[in-house]
Amino acid sequence: PVQVRLEADGRLTVENDCAPLPPALLDRLGTRFTRAPGAGKGSGLGLAIVRAIVTRAGGTLALASPIAGSARGFAVHVTLPLLRGD
């Protein structure tokens, strides 16, 4: 299962239940053409595109595996600056 959360502070989290990813792979996942084993079809550009958009918008992208408080899973955390109307 995949869970998606948007927090009031602007942080978007997407979590996928899967076997934990090795740290060396996790470090490379945001680069072009890098995919996790068993990821299905695709060319491995998704997270690289997300990273470029988030960075240019002044935000941060963080990857984690396993999910905090679990022995499994993969999480993507996107934090974008909030626009304040005050």
Side-chain angles (χ1 to χ4, degrees), residues 32-86:
R32 295 182 303 159
F33 309 115
T34 301
R35 298 179 46 209
K41 294 182 180 181
S43 57
L45 292 173
L47 283 175
I49 293 169
V50 170
R51 183 180 297 280
I53 292 169
V54 169
T55 300
R56 289 180 184 159
T60 60
L61 176 88
L63 308 178
S65 186
I67 294 170
S70 176
R72 296 181 47 82
F74 169 70
V76 176
H77 305 283
V78 174
T79 304
L80 295 172
L82 293 177
L83 297 176
R84 306 249 182 231
D86 23 67

Side-chain angles (χ1 to χ4, degrees), residues 1-29:
V2 174
Q3 293 185 15
V4 179
R5 288 188 311 278
L6 180 59
E7 306 292 334
D9 65 358
R11 184 177 184 181
L12 172 70
T13 299
V14 180
E15 296 175 338
N16 183 26
D17 180 34
C18 62
L21 303 177
L25 175 60
L26 194 62
D27 290 342
R28 294 190 333 264
L29 268 185

